[in-house]
Amino acid sequence: MTSRAFRAAFLQLVPEFERATQNRIVMISGASLGNGPTTIPGRWARGELADVVTLTDDALAELLKRGKVVPDSRVQLVRLAPPPLAWYLAISHHHPRHRYGTHPHHRR
């Protein structure tokens, strides 16, 4: 699940990742903030799940507070200035098999 700001970058990266790992990516994108039906916080509130999420710092902080993502999995992807704005990637708690560090691909 990714913010709309990262959608274009992910669309470019996914084919190479899928070829290299033999894993299939299903990408869902939406706004990082807000509670509308297509926003990432709104999707999580309704019970939609994702293995990995990319969001702005504020939105990710909210998911961390709610225990939805693994705190130690947070990685800064980009920082823009001005204004100071950053996007982060984090791994979800929803599926034990995909917990950070338990799958061989997470260690590379």
Side-chain angles (χ1 to χ4, degrees), residues 1-72:
M1 198 174 288
T2 185
S3 66
R4 287 188 191 128
F6 257 77
R7 181 176 165 75
F10 268 78
L11 288 174
Q12 289 183 9
L13 296 172
V14 165
E16 184 178 337
F17 177 84
E18 288 180 337
R19 276 192 301 278
T21 66
Q22 301 300 306
N23 290 309
R24 184 172 173 263
I25 301 294
V26 176
M27 183 179 60
I28 298 169
S29 66
S32 291
L33 300 171
N35 292 313
T38 62
T39 66
I40 292 173
R43 291 176 184 275
W44 283 70
R46 285 194 317 274
E48 288 187 42
L49 302 174
D51 292 329
V52 176
V53 62
T54 60
L55 294 165
T56 59
D57 191 30
D58 293 343
L60 184 55
E62 185 59 35
L63 290 181
L64 283 165
K65 274 195 261 179
R66 291 195 260 157
K68 300 290 187 179
V69 296
V70 178
D72 294 342

Side-chain angles (χ1 to χ4, degrees), residues 79-86:
R79 182 169 180 80
L80 304 173
L85 184 61

